[in-house]
Structure formats: structure tokens, C-alpha cells
Amino acid sequence: MRFTNRAGLAVVALTAGIAVAACGGSYNNDNGNGGGGGGGSTAGSGGGSGGGADNSPLKVNIAVAPGTLDPAEGCGSNDLAIIGSLYTRLTQYGSKPGPDGTTQFDPSKIEPYAAKSWDITDGGKTYTFHLRPGMKFPSGKPVTSSDVKYSFNRSLTVNGCGGYFIYDGLLTPPLIKSMETPDPLTLVIKIAQPDPNALQAWGQPAAGIVDPSVVDAHGGVKKNTVNQYMASHAAGAGPFLVSSYEPNKEIVLKANPDFAAGPPPASKEIDVNFVNSDPTLLLDAKSGQADITLGLSKQSAKSLQGNSNVRLIVNETPLSEQIGLLNSKPPFNNLKVRQAVTLALPYKQIVEKAAFGYGKLFSGPLEPIVPYYSPSVGVPPVTNEAKAKQLIKASGIKTPVTVQMAVQEGNSADQQIATIAQGEWAKLGINVKILTLPASAYTDGTENHKYESYVRLDGPGVVDPGYFLGYDMLCGIGFNLSAMCIPQADKLLTEARRTTDKAKLTQLYEEISKLWLADSPKIQVYADDNVTVLSKDVKSYYYAMEADLRRWGK
């Protein structure tokens, strides 16, 4: 759900009673291009393997290894980056021009992928997908509608993150009522309530189509059980096949010669190394040992500015650095205290020190890249120490007061933010005790509201405000880590998920954002930018939340 959390469905019955909007019409695209566009090896090409391309392996360094290759279990971006290259889905994001001649995903557009077309009928409650002919798994078995049904049911049965994506977060009642396969290339999905975001949800890597014959031969499908074979092997008909895989070290991907859901990948082979040493990532990027580097620290990326051997590609993300304030317990159950600590932070200084300039200031619940973000509402925050002190005095709390602030170990940006907040809040009489915790303790503590505050890089796994706010903001929701509760905003969100009119949606999300800002439930420190380092040999690069390796080439 979140990019930074892993959780099973059992604890995420988040959007009970929320109906969502109907959508109708048909989508047809028979040209086979999907979201990638045509081929070519020039910068920004959509992903074909056009003439003149370098056929040597593309060398990629990634800072964090995936925890699984199983689409039913993948949660975070590190998992889904690899999973998305091994499996096809019914739909995919569209694309648009990116910085410096590259391309990037466009969350406002959903295009065909394994499904060449679809029809939406019954007031938005029946989806009829028409699969592309000619697709087949490496086993030689053709990809059919029964395989899609099997894959969806498998994700829901094993109870991993994949099921949450397939249900689009709408679990009560379950979004999907039935799936029918009238013929091998036709899938009919009937849903409990209209959901205009279903096509985006079914385009996530977590909705990857698996080969049932492979799964059944290696443990099958068991309720609430991880399939260890699928965690380290692939069973998809995606653009790449796994040539070799050593967990936490390296995966070698070879272009699938039978890939039939779009143009062939821009690279015939991609060697991905998982390198958790930032100095090594930097050295390999400088020397040209890595063609593409993901996950380099912002500080190291800054040091490469002006280096003629590399290009720095900076993309907006739906993620933001946040300081969570536990709204349900003192002192942050006091509105004036929340407003005061929000005003006390030197935001521009934080962007320079923690993000090294790779961040954008904004306010409100929606990051600037998320649809229906309003620039007039989400203006950059202001710093006003004098007013912050007045608010603390007016709040009636007795100072000094001590609060705990949880930070996950190994995250230098979060640590820097916490340290700056510690210094500034001390001027208000709020003493911050920073707790640097291992991942398991940090996750347990924040999800169970153990600490008065926390710092985290957070954001949605699906770039839709209804999906995102449905678990991040609603009163009483377990993944509402700040325990915020704004009843009027909840009512407006329920209405927004029932609305298809764009003007009305704009109005509703502006109202929600204004209510959120007035309540100061947590602090949006800055919207995080993604920095990718490309060698001078890279001619085609496409940025997406979950890296799409189809469009990467030399």
C-alpha cells in the first residue's frame, strides 16, 4: 500500500462503507505499443530495441535488494521494480516526456498491456477485458483469461500485499464479486461498487499474471502462506526472464524472445547488482562501471553535479519526508502545539541539509505529483518562530515537555530532519529525544502509536488521492500513523470516491486539503525527488515509481 510499509490484508480493512465513482466507456489499442511507444535508441524513446543499440549488457546498480520476486507478496518499490519486469499485467501507466530527453510515467493515463482493450458496463461495475493473442509463458503455455483469474485469486488467498492492490484498498465489502472466463482471451470482472481507479490498481506489478502450471508444481497456493519457490523464481510472460539470481547480490535478466505484450525490451540483457554501500555506488557511477545507478544518497548525487561522464536525472515522486505527530496523546493532541511545531521548522534549510536540494516544499495531504493536488492550497510552508512561541503559550501546556521521535536506523535524511527539529523545538520548550530504531522496532512502534512523533519517507503505492487518503487519513484506521481524525474531511473523502466529475473532484480535494491544513495533523517537510545517475552510454531511460526496465537501453 505504502511504498515504505509491508503488511498483510488482515490489518488493512481500511475503507469500510466507502463507495467509489462509476466510470464507463471502452478502451481499445491494437498497435501493441502499450505505454512504451515505438522503438529506437535515442534518449527518451519508449522502449523498442531499434537499430544502432548497444547489445552489451546494461549494468545497473540498485542500493536495496528486493525481498521477493513474487507479485503476490511484493510490497515496496524495491520488490516491484524487479517484479514488474518479469510479469505482465492487464494495464499499465502511460508515459510523458521527462527531464533531459528521458521519459517518465504519467499517472493520469492508463493504457493497455496484456489486455489489448476493455469495456466498462453496468454503471461501472462490469469490466470485460480482451487479452492480446499470441502471449505465452516460458513453459510454452499460452496466456489465457483463466491465468489472470488464477493470479488474482492467488494473491487474495496468500494474503500478501498483492491482494490489497487488486482490491484497490476497498476490502469491505470486497471489491471483486466474481471473475468469469467465457473464452481463453476474455475476462469479465464484476465488482461490488463502481471504482474508477480499478484500472490503475490492476496495472500494478502486484497484479502480475503468473503461470499456474509452475506455481502448482512448486508448492501451489496455500492460504496466508508465502511460496518460497516463487520468492526467488519467476513464472511470468513479461519482457524479461531470469537468467540467474543470487538474493541480495545480483540478478541477471535476459530479454524474453516470446514477449508479445508490446515492443521488445531496449536491452537484450540487464545485469542488476544490489549494492548497499553508498561509496561503492558512487565509485561505480563515476568510473562507468554502472550504466544506471538507483538509490545513491542525495549527498553523493550532489557531488556528481558537473561531472561530464554522467547525467543526473531528477524526477518528482509521490513520496514526501514527513514528521508524524501523534494526534491522540499529549502534547500533540493539542491543536495549538501542532501548529506551533509546524511553524518552527526552517524548511528551506532542511531541504538543503537533508535532501541536498533534491526536494520541493509544499503543504497539505497530497504531494504535488498526486492528481488533484492544488498549487493554490498546497503552497510552500512558512517559518515563524515568534508566532510558534505565542501558540505554545496559548496552548496551555506546561513546558518544558519531552517527546520521543522515532527514526529508522540507516536513514541519514530522516536523522538530519530529526536533529534539526530537535534544535528548533527546544526553543519552544519541547525537548525531543531521538530514538534510532531497527526496521522491525520502528515499524511496530509507529503502527502501534508508541511514540509521540516519528520521521519517515512515505507515500502511496498507487498514485490516486482516494486510495492514498483512504488509509492515511480516515479516523480510526490502523495505518493512519498519526492517529489524525478530521470527521468532515472523512465525509468529503467518501463523496470524492463516489464522484467522476473532475471539477467536482478538484473542489472536494481542495476542501479536504484546507481542512487538513487547519488541523495540522502532521508535518510535510518536503516532497522527495528521485535522482538517477546515468552513464554517458545510456540512450534510453524511463522513470516510474517501480522502475520499468523495458525502456532502459544503451
Side-chain angles (χ1 to χ4, degrees):
M1 301 170 307
R2 285 184 153 91
F3 255 158
T4 52
N5 278 350
R6 173 180 173 78
L9 290 177
V11 294
V12 291
L14 308 181
T15 48
I18 296 181
V20 291
C23 55
S26 302
Y27 197 120
N28 185 66
N29 181 351
D30 293 311
N31 62 16
N33 284 339
S41 60
T42 57
S45 67
S49 57
D54 185 342
N55 289 324
S56 64
L58 186 74
K59 302 289 186 179
V60 177
N61 280 359
I62 298 179
V64 182
T68 182
L69 301 184
D70 190 344
E73 295 288 345
C75 286
S77 58
N78 303 309
D79 298 338
L80 301 178
I82 303 299
I83 291 170
S85 298
L86 304 175
Y87 294 89
T88 55
R89 289 85 69 192
L90 290 171
T91 64
Q92 62 185 342
Y93 286 116
S95 60
K96 62 183 180 180
D100 196 16
T102 63
T103 51
Q104 63 188 47
F105 83 112
D106 185 348
S108 70
K109 299 176 182 176
I110 303 298
E111 298 182 348
Y113 194 11
K116 69 174 183 177
S117 65
W118 56 80
D119 303 299
I120 305 173
T121 56
D122 188 27
K125 293 192 291 184
T126 298
Y127 288 72
T128 302
F129 291 95
H130 308 285
L131 303 186
R132 298 184 189 277
M135 296 186 297
K136 63 181 180 180
F137 295 109
S139 65
K141 181 182 177 295
V143 178
T144 70
S145 55
S146 295
D147 300 322
V148 184
K149 179 179 178 180
Y150 175 98
S151 301
F152 276 34
N153 282 331
R154 174 177 178 268
S155 287
L156 299 172
T157 300
V158 303
N159 204 22
C161 281
Y164 190 86
F165 284 108
I166 288 169
Y167 274 159
D168 194 27
L170 297 169
L171 310 178
T172 310
L175 178 65
I176 296 178
K177 292 180 63 177
S178 67
M179 289 181 281
E180 302 168 2
T181 56
D183 63 62
L185 294 179
T186 304
L187 173 70
V188 181
I189 301 178
K190 295 185 177 182
I191 57 179
Q193 55 195 35
D195 178 12
N197 192 54
L199 291 174
Q200 182 178 175
W202 298 335
Q204 302 304 310
I209 304 167
V210 304
D211 184 343
S213 67
V214 174
V215 177
D216 293 342
H218 296 89
V221 182
K222 297 177 182 178
K223 188 174 182 179
N224 301 329
T225 301
V226 174
N227 185 310
Q228 296 299 334
Y229 178 86
M230 290 293 290
S232 58
H233 295 79
F240 288 96
L241 307 176
V242 176
S243 177
S244 64
Y245 178 45
E246 187 174 349
N248 299 310
K249 185 177 181 181
E250 179 188 36
I251 187 168
V252 177
L253 305 175
K254 295 275 182 84
N256 181 359
D258 296 319
F259 179 60
S267 295
K268 291 185 177 181
E269 178 180 327
I270 299 182
D271 298 348
V272 182
N273 294 294
F274 306 115
V275 181
N276 61 13
S277 165
D278 194 63
T280 302
L281 285 174
L282 178 60
L283 181 62
D284 286 356
K286 277 183 175 180
S287 66
Q289 287 291 107
D291 294 308
I292 298 178
T293 303
L294 285 77
L296 190 66
S297 72
K298 299 292 199 300
Q299 182 177 12
S300 293
K302 187 81 169 182
S303 73
L304 290 174
Q305 286 186 348
N307 188 315
S308 60
N309 292 321
V310 300
R311 284 192 294 159
L312 300 182
I313 305 300
V314 182
N315 297 95
E316 289 184 297
T317 76
L319 309 179
S320 62
E321 284 285 356
Q322 306 173 1
I323 298 179
L325 308 172
L326 190 54
N327 289 211
S328 58
K329 296 179 182 179
F332 298 126
N333 61 345
N334 187 311
L335 172 60
K336 287 184 171 61
V337 174
R338 298 198 301 271
Q339 292 173 331
V341 295
T342 301
L343 286 169
L345 292 178
Y347 294 95
K348 292 181 180 179
Q349 177 188 349
I350 292 176
V351 170
E352 289 304 316
K353 287 193 172 183
F356 292 87
Y358 297 116
K360 294 180 177 63
L361 298 179
F362 77 104
S363 299
L366 301 179
E367 290 82 357
I369 195 175
V370 175
Y372 301 106
Y373 161 80
S374 171
S376 63
V377 176
V379 297
V382 297
T383 303
N384 190 328
E385 185 179 329
K387 187 173 181 180
K389 290 180 177 179
Q390 292 173 3
L391 285 165
I392 288 293
K393 186 176 181 179
S395 72
I397 69 166
K398 184 178 180 181
T399 57
V401 61
T402 298
V403 299
Q404 294 179 319
M405 180 175 287
V407 178
Q408 186 169 320
E409 65 183 12
N411 192 316
S412 59
D414 288 4
Q415 185 71 48
Q416 183 69 51
I417 291 168
T419 301
I420 293 174
Q422 183 182 55
E424 297 302 323
W425 290 2
K427 300 174 184 177
L428 305 178
I430 298 176
N431 298 321
V432 175
K433 181 180 180 181
I434 299 174
L435 303 178
T436 303
L437 305 171
S440 58
Y442 176 87
T443 299
D444 176 71
T446 53
E447 291 182 359
N448 289 287
H449 300 147
K450 292 183 179 179
Y451 312 114
E452 292 90 352
S453 62
Y454 59 85
V455 185
R456 70 189 286 123
L457 177 68
D458 204 355
V462 177
V463 191
D464 174 75
Y467 173 97
F468 179 33
L469 298 180
Y471 67 79
D472 190 68
M473 185 183 74
L474 289 177
C475 299
I477 295 302
F479 279 92
N480 177 346
L481 301 183
S482 292
M484 70 180 80
C485 185
I486 313 172
Q488 182 58 29
D490 285 3
K491 292 179 182 179
L492 293 174
L493 178 60
T494 300
E495 184 180 355
R497 295 209 76 181
R498 295 171 174 162
T499 303
T500 55
D501 181 78
K502 290 187 176 181
K504 182 64 174 177
L505 282 169
T506 299
Q507 175 192 336
L508 288 169
Y509 284 118
E510 282 189 356
E511 292 181 30
I512 290 170
S513 296
K514 289 176 181 178
L515 289 168
W516 191 99
L517 284 166
D519 198 68
S520 297
K522 60 181 176 181
I523 301 172
Q524 296 280 26
V525 183
Y526 59 83
D528 190 62
D529 288 339
N530 179 79
V531 184
T532 304
V533 184
L534 307 181
S535 75
K536 59 185 179 181
D537 293 329
V538 174
K539 300 300 181 184
S540 176
Y541 175 72
Y542 173 94
Y543 167 75
M545 290 188 305
E546 305 95 0
D548 191 335
L549 280 62
R550 284 178 290 170
R551 296 144 165 108
W552 295 2
K554 299 204 287 188

